[in-house]
Amino acid sequence: ALIIAADAGLDEVLDDNNTPYTLFAPSDRAFENVPEDIRKALLRPENSSTLEAILRYHVAPGVVVAHDINDGAIARTAYDNMSIRAEKTCFSQNGCDEFSLAVNDSYIVAADVEASNGVIHIIDKVLIPSNLNLGDLRR
């Protein structure tokens, strides 16, 4: 995943030492759950702008740690300033002392992983910007 991110130019975004970032990083399993034909298509040079858009959609300027996520919080991403929505989801029927954190339609499976330039939250799905149609990828 790191090599793919570097190839797509994401390393240039994250190397800005003056700006901290929050990275919503899909787990290895999240990448494996992307259909194989789409994964292969995204790695084709002619689809590099789509891959870059998807990767930038996982990056938000600023540091957002888990305890700062309010229900319905909106973060602007490094992809066309599009927003992602974070929320707390209560699973208890007897009050809400246990929460899960969600970003769009994915869940945060590991929160607040410290990085030298911000924080990383591991998520269980690859986020796809709503304005991208993966059916248009060249295969």
Side-chain angles (χ1 to χ4, degrees):
L2 290 175
I3 294 169
I4 293 170
D7 288 347
L10 195 61
D11 56 338
E12 295 171 14
V13 173
L14 298 175
D15 277 347
D16 181 357
N17 291 329
N18 297 320
T19 305
Y21 291 97
T22 299
L23 175 62
F24 297 96
S27 66
D28 288 343
R29 180 166 295 214
F31 282 110
E32 291 167 4
N33 287 335
V34 173
E36 185 176 2
D37 63 324
I38 291 176
R39 280 196 322 262
K40 286 181 177 181
L42 284 169
L43 296 177
R44 294 175 59 101
E46 59 266 33
N47 295 320
S48 64
S49 63
T50 302
L51 176 59
E52 181 179 355
I54 291 169
L55 294 174
R56 285 177 176 265
Y57 191 59
H58 290 78
V59 178
V63 173
V64 179
V65 292
H67 70 80
D68 288 340
I69 295 176
N70 297 315
D71 196 28
I74 302 291
R76 296 287 173 193
T77 69
Y79 170 62
D80 285 349
N81 205 29
M82 288 189 68
S83 61
I84 53 176
R85 185 170 194 258
E87 60 186 60
K88 290 182 178 180
T89 303
C90 177
F91 286 108
S92 173
Q93 306 241 338
N94 302 324
C96 287
D97 44 335
E98 290 187 34
F99 292 93
S100 256
L101 297 173
V103 178
N104 288 1
D105 65 343
S106 70
Y107 285 98
I108 296 176
V109 296
D112 298 339
V113 178
E114 290 186 34
S116 62
N117 58 344
V119 65
I120 300 168
H121 302 296
I122 309 300
I123 58 177
D124 67 350
K125 290 185 181 175
V126 175
L127 304 174
I128 306 295
S130 61
N131 67 340
L132 293 182
N133 180 357
L134 298 183
D136 292 340
L137 289 171
R138 294 189 197 133
R139 296 178 199 236

